[in-house]
Amino acid sequence: YILRFNKEARVVNNLQSKVVLMLVKDGIREKSPFFISISKTPPETLEEFLKKVEKYINYENILEARS
């Protein structure tokens, strides 16, 4: 989802980071651990959001590798 979103967001000119953050958060599955995490402590910037995304992706990759 994040990769597709970033690809499409790059097409739009002059898209403000706060708008990007709001839109990308709207597309996350509500019952996912990531959604719960950002609901408890919402990222204030797109950079903070992307850092959290990276942590969760790395965590999922570790779990997948152990399976």
Side-chain angles (χ1 to χ4, degrees):
Y1 168 74
I2 298 297
L3 293 175
R4 287 190 321 243
F5 184 88
N6 282 338
K7 181 180 175 185
E8 294 300 322
R10 288 186 188 129
V11 174
V12 179
N13 292 328
N14 301 319
L15 192 56
Q16 295 179 359
S17 63
K18 286 186 179 189
V19 173
V20 172
L21 182 57
M22 179 187 69
L23 292 172
V24 75
K25 288 192 316 190
D26 283 346
I28 297 170
R29 287 178 280 147
E30 290 185 24
K31 299 199 188 246
S32 71
F34 182 67
F35 182 85
I36 294 167
S37 173
I38 64 171
S39 295
K40 289 179 182 177
T41 53
E44 294 185 23
T45 66
L46 185 57
E47 184 178 306
E48 286 178 26
F49 176 82
L50 293 174
K51 284 181 183 180
K52 276 194 170 195
V53 166
E54 186 176 356
K55 287 179 185 179
Y56 272 80
I57 289 172
N58 290 338
Y59 175 71
E60 287 178 356
N61 287 340
I62 289 169
L63 290 179
E64 188 176 300
R66 289 184 179 177
S67 306

